[in-house]
Amino acid sequence: MSNIKTLIEREVLRRRTFAIISHPDAGKTTLTEKLLLYGGAIRQAGSVKSRKTNRYATSDWMEIEKQRGISVTSSVMQFEYNGNFINILDTPGHQDFSEDTYRTLIAADSAVMIIDAAKGVEAQTIKLFQVCKKRGIPIFTFVNKMDRASKSPFDLMDEIESVLNIYSYPVNWPIGIDGDFKGIYNRQKSQIEIFEGKDHGMSSVNSVKGRIGEKHFKDLIGEDYHSTLEDEIELLEHAGEKYDLEKISKGLLTPVFFGSAMNNFGVETFLEEFIKLAPTPLDKNSTAGLVSPFNDNFTGFVFKIQANMNPTHRDRIAFIRICSGKYEKGLQVYNYSLKKHIKLSQPQQFMAQDRTIVEQAYPGDIIGVFDPGIFNIGDTLSEKNKNLKFDDIPMFPSEYFARITPINSTKRKPFIKGITQLSQEGTIQIFKQINSGIDSLIAGVVGVLQFEILEHRLKNEYNVEIKLERIPFKIARWIVTNGVEFDHSNLKLSSSTIIAKDKNQNLVLIFENEWSQSWATDKNKNLVLKDTSL
Ligand code: G4P
């Protein structure tokens, strides 16, 4: 094997690239911060938190962001732990929830789902989970905030199984709940880890090995807690799911960890087990068949475009997930959709607070390259094979809609240019209604903040002020046509339902509510709908 192949193989095998999926406030920022502390990527608790407010304070169009004290952008963080390189893809979650959040999941090889122990499975988690499930990637669960009153762990497992339709295997098990949390029993290591509830930092956990039933376990946690633990573990062993690596790797079984991110409890157990179980960079499907990360031809794809991170340059950053080969500074690649070679200039990697120029990067890594407006979401880049194209990234369902028109009708041209550009960047989706004479376009977004960004950027970058009129629609569904001409004129739809075409001329139905969606599928037996464009 050539040296380059050996090098790539070594680097691939020590990489794990995952996204965290959760509902706002479940503890994503806190857990991320604790993971970065373990990797030594940050030295101080609070660094990630401050990123929420400070990191992009320099971006001018993000006045909105400053006013609200949130980051509109997601980022990528890399840290090293015991010789492994871990890439965490941040999924924006508060008001800044957007289609970017879904697209980020396409660039991850596994996902970590954080659940608030008192709240269980919440709405945003369900949406993100479904994207991961569809991809069949492994999903790990961290049940957070065990230091506080929580639901029973059995109820939480039931909820995960019934709401998300995935089996669960608790790797550790909580001892004492409802604000009386004593610690966890680590089933893999057969040890009790005692929760002391006062350490917000990095000190090691007091862990004691042994077998359930042994005296020193009883002495450690007391007879009552011990007897409950004994019963519960017995129940899990007999009635629970078996530990099955194959099911974990296909996303059919989720390993569950209980802990408290804020108290840094259960986090190390989680990290160690995660590194053992999480996949190294996966093969990716393309027109040239499956592309292995070990292949020495550099390939990657653009999954996110971030505008104007640097106000003085009005630049855009295209985020590229590397799929195979090795990136070296100044690498020339072929962009399949542009049909030309481009140089990847000044690629950057992102840490908690900093951006650094990348000299080398490997499969699983994410690099951000300067984009003078030439990249689109989903672009394939390949060093050697001009015919290689990865599967497209689907469009995800918008949930908020507005009719948009330029206030000054002479500005139609820059208006169209602006919205075309912004839809290619993935900021908004543009639909053209085809079942009415109304000459207006519909913008669809996953999070309402995108409307403000749309107005702001059209005004500042394209000098176009728009009238944006929100319409009370909630659901976009693509019509499955299987490549055959579809006659939409005979569809029986409720009077308000909009028939539209997306930017790729795919037919889309936009509904006001679930009732009108069911009405459409009930009345039109040949109508099949899907919730993404692909
Ligand atoms: P997010 O990124 O998922 O939105 O959640 P984040 O980490 O910001 O956590 C949301 C809140 O939950 C924070 O409290 C955080 O301190 C708290 N939290 C996180 N993990 C735990 C835990 O294990 N136990 C308990 N009891 N709380 C936890 P906050 O009051 O909103 O913010 P802050 O004042 O603590 O910064």
Side-chain angles (χ1 to χ4, degrees), residues 303-322:
F303 66 96
K304 174 180 156 67
I305 292 171
Q306 171 76 62
N308 296 15
M309 284 167 101
N310 180 343
T312 53
H313 295 109
R314 291 219 160 280
D315 63 352
R316 307 198 311 174
I317 300 277
F319 287 77
I320 298 164
R321 152 78 201 229
I322 301 178

Side-chain angles (χ1 to χ4, degrees), residues 128-139:
L128 296 170
F129 176 89
Q130 274 152 1
V131 177
C132 298
K133 185 90 201 279
K134 216 170 177 176
R135 289 195 57 216
I137 57 173
I139 301 166

Side-chain angles (χ1 to χ4, degrees), residues 25-30 49 52 94 144-145 147 260-262:
D25 284 334
K28 176 167 63 86
T29 313
T30 314
K49 236 350 178 220
K52 276 189 175 173
H94 287 75
N144 191 28
K145 306 196 188 183
D147 56 309
S260 165
M262 190 178 81

Side-chain angles (χ1 to χ4, degrees), residues 447-464:
V448 284
L449 189 63
Q450 300 304 106
F451 284 141
E452 284 179 55
I453 292 171
L454 169 69
E455 284 184 296
H456 193 92
R457 290 192 57 193
L458 282 176
K459 189 167 165 209
N460 285 276
E461 293 169 37
Y462 300 90
N463 200 17
V464 181

Side-chain angles (χ1 to χ4, degrees), residues 260-505:
S260 165
M262 190 178 81
N263 292 288
N264 199 18
F265 185 79
V267 177
E268 196 170 15
T269 309
F270 164 73
L271 180 58
E272 280 175 1
E273 224 33 59
F274 171 79
I275 288 172
K276 267 192 242 152
L277 297 174
T280 56
L282 303 170
D283 292 348
K284 185 152 173 75
N285 203 30
S286 80
T287 47
L290 280 183
V291 175
S292 156
F294 303 118
N295 192 314
D296 60 7
N297 171 33
F298 171 94
T299 63
F301 67 94
V302 176
F303 66 96
K304 174 180 156 67
I305 292 171
Q306 171 76 62
N308 296 15
M309 284 167 101
N310 180 343
T312 53
H313 295 109
R314 291 219 160 280
D315 63 352
R316 307 198 311 174
I317 300 277
F319 287 77
I320 298 164
R321 152 78 201 229
I322 301 178
C323 300
S324 65
K326 177 184 178 189
Y327 167 80
E328 262 179 314
K329 207 170 158 191
L331 184 75
Q332 282 253 353
V333 293
Y334 187 74
N335 182 330
Y336 182 91
S337 68
L338 280 181
K339 299 272 175 266
K340 64 178 187 189
H341 281 96
I342 46 169
K343 194 168 163 181
L344 298 180
S345 48
Q346 293 194 1
Q348 318 196 13
Q349 254 176 351
F350 302 82
M351 288 302 273
Q353 304 104 316
D354 312 309
R355 295 204 238 171
T356 49
I357 301 289
V358 185
E359 302 286 329
Q360 292 166 351
Y362 294 91
D365 290 346
I366 311 295
I367 53 173
V369 298
F370 170 70
D371 171 22
I374 56 171
F375 289 108
N376 289 322
I377 296 286
D379 279 359
T380 298
L381 310 172
S382 171
E383 184 188 355
K384 294 177 190 155
N385 185 350
K386 285 186 175 180
N387 298 320
L388 189 149
K389 180 182 175 298
F390 288 121
D391 288 352
D392 287 326
I393 296 180
M395 285 191 258
F396 293 93
S398 293
E399 292 176 37
Y400 303 94
F401 301 87
R403 290 190 192 281
I404 50 169
T405 39
I407 290 178
N408 179 344
S409 57
T410 64
K411 294 268 180 164
R412 184 116 194 128
K413 224 170 151 185
F415 167 73
I416 295 292
K417 186 172 172 216
I419 57 169
T420 306
Q421 183 85 60
L422 293 179
S423 73
Q424 275 162 1
E425 264 181 39
T427 309
I428 48 161
Q429 286 175 16
I430 290 293
F431 302 102
K432 197 169 176 7
Q433 183 166 2
I434 55 178
N435 63 336
S436 99
I438 308 169
D439 183 24
S440 74
L441 293 168
I442 296 172
V445 294
V446 169
V448 284
L449 189 63
Q450 300 304 106
F451 284 141
E452 284 179 55
I453 292 171
L454 169 69
E455 284 184 296
H456 193 92
R457 290 192 57 193
L458 282 176
K459 189 167 165 209
N460 285 276
E461 293 169 37
Y462 300 90
N463 200 17
V464 181
E465 289 196 55
I466 58 165
K467 186 167 145 222
L468 187 146
E469 185 197 344
R470 295 276 294 274
I471 49 175
F473 287 75
K474 289 202 179 73
I475 303 165
R477 290 289 178 266
W478 279 262
I479 297 180
V480 177
T481 60
N482 296 323
V484 181
E485 189 76 26
F486 186 91
D487 182 7
H488 58 79
S489 58
N490 294 328
L491 283 177
K492 295 189 189 74
L493 301 168
S494 65
S495 61
S496 64
T497 300
I498 291 173
I499 310 178
K501 285 194 172 170
D502 70 12
K503 70 173 186 302
N504 298 326
Q505 305 305 311

